[in-house]
Amino acid sequence: MTPRLIFTADDLGLAAEVNEGTERAHREGVLSAASLMVGEAGFEEGVRVARSNPDLAIGLHLTLTDGHPVLPAARIPSLTQKNGRFRDDMASLGLLLALSREARAELAAEVAAQLARFAETGLRCDHVNAHKHYHLHPHIAAALMQAAAGAGVRAIRLPNEDPAMPRKADPSSRKLPSALLNGWVAVLRKRARNWGLAAPDRVLGFAWSGAFSADRLRAVLPLLPGGVTELYFHPAMRGGFAGSAPGYRYADELAALTDAQVREAVSGLPRGGYAAMLG
């Protein structure tokens, strides 16, 4: 079976550096999809990038931490800090969502608001996922799946990464609790199907988040089996911008997506967004 590839950029709309890097990765490289943050400073420019590149499939990058809400913070006090930003204590918020019906109601309202803001752009929502994979939380997953299905979205990222693959490509790759994670992802996959949401067969980028270099990409491409694989990146022109993650090698990830050897390696393979590859 021929590999079918989705090359995705997360954080479109976060900052000008990310928007420019995403556009370059698509126009000059192999990037085929991007996930849009709808509450951040670069949102409007990110939408312009999306409209100017109709072959770039655009999805929602749901943000519930390390960012700004779409709803007024006063309407979702369980989710926000005094400065109006989302809470950054993901574990504590996760526990609150498990215990508080009120917090879950606020969550559902904010998820719906982010999907509504995406819809206002007129762009087709190719897929959904969440910043920092926060939709692995059962209540966030439930809220996102229900709202996405109601909005007509048909695909979701579920980060089931085979731990052997990144370590075979680069033995220095960090180890993750993949057996536990992938067991839970299998549960989420069944729940997603119940909502009519499809997911790629596998995802790559978790072990290399912020450090998915050209060397690693060139090494892992020949290892990919048949079926649909999503490879996700964080391309940007440079690091150090407002909202950037410490230690992320943004320019290196952009270089990976525009690498000449990578372009040659995937030139004969099906490549696109979720709808095109999963349809």
Side-chain angles (χ1 to χ4, degrees), residues 33-37 57-61 118 124-129:
S35 301
L36 178 66
M37 304 174 90
I58 306 296
L60 173 69
H61 197 49
F118 189 103
R124 177 187 179 186
C125 191
D126 177 70
H127 60 273
V128 293
N129 56 47

Side-chain angles (χ1 to χ4, degrees), residues 18 53 227 239 255 258:
V18 176
N53 297 276
T258 56

Side-chain angles (χ1 to χ4, degrees), residues 165-166 168-170 204 208 212 214-225 231:
M165 200 173 294
K168 186 173 182 180
D170 179 359
L204 278 170
W208 294 335
F212 205 151
D215 287 345
R216 286 172 162 174
L217 181 52
R218 288 193 297 265
V220 83
L221 284 172
L223 306 179
L224 298 180
L231 306 97

Side-chain angles (χ1 to χ4, degrees), residues 95-248:
L95 179 60
L96 179 63
L97 289 171
L99 298 175
S100 169
R101 184 175 300 176
E102 182 176 328
R104 292 195 295 273
E106 294 175 21
L107 166 68
E110 176 63 23
V111 172
Q114 292 192 30
L115 276 163
R117 177 166 288 185
F118 189 103
E120 289 169 2
T121 68
L123 298 168
R124 177 187 179 186
C125 191
D126 177 70
H127 60 273
V128 293
N129 56 47
H131 190 49
K132 296 187 173 180
H133 301 301
Y134 211 1
H135 63 309
L136 290 173
H137 187 288
H139 289 293
I140 296 174
L144 179 57
M145 289 177 187
Q146 181 175 1
V153 182
R154 291 293 174 260
I156 186 170
R157 174 192 292 161
L158 296 175
N160 57 326
E161 183 171 87
D162 177 357
M165 200 173 294
R167 291 189 65 78
K168 186 173 182 180
D170 179 359
S172 70
S173 302
R174 62 177 178 150
K175 295 181 180 180
L176 296 170
S178 300
L180 179 62
L181 173 62
N182 289 344
W184 174 237
V185 166
V187 174
L188 292 179
R189 186 180 293 272
K190 292 179 181 178
R191 296 180 182 180
R193 283 199 296 266
N194 290 337
W195 286 108
L197 296 167
D201 297 308
R202 68 197 61 82
V203 172
L204 278 170
F206 207 9
W208 294 335
S209 189
F212 205 151
S213 64
D215 287 345
R216 286 172 162 174
L217 181 52
R218 288 193 297 265
V220 83
L221 284 172
L223 306 179
L224 298 180
V228 180
T229 300
E230 181 188 14
L231 306 97
Y232 74 91
F233 298 78
H234 303 84
M237 300 304 296
R238 63 193 65 84
F241 53 85
S244 62
Y248 268 38

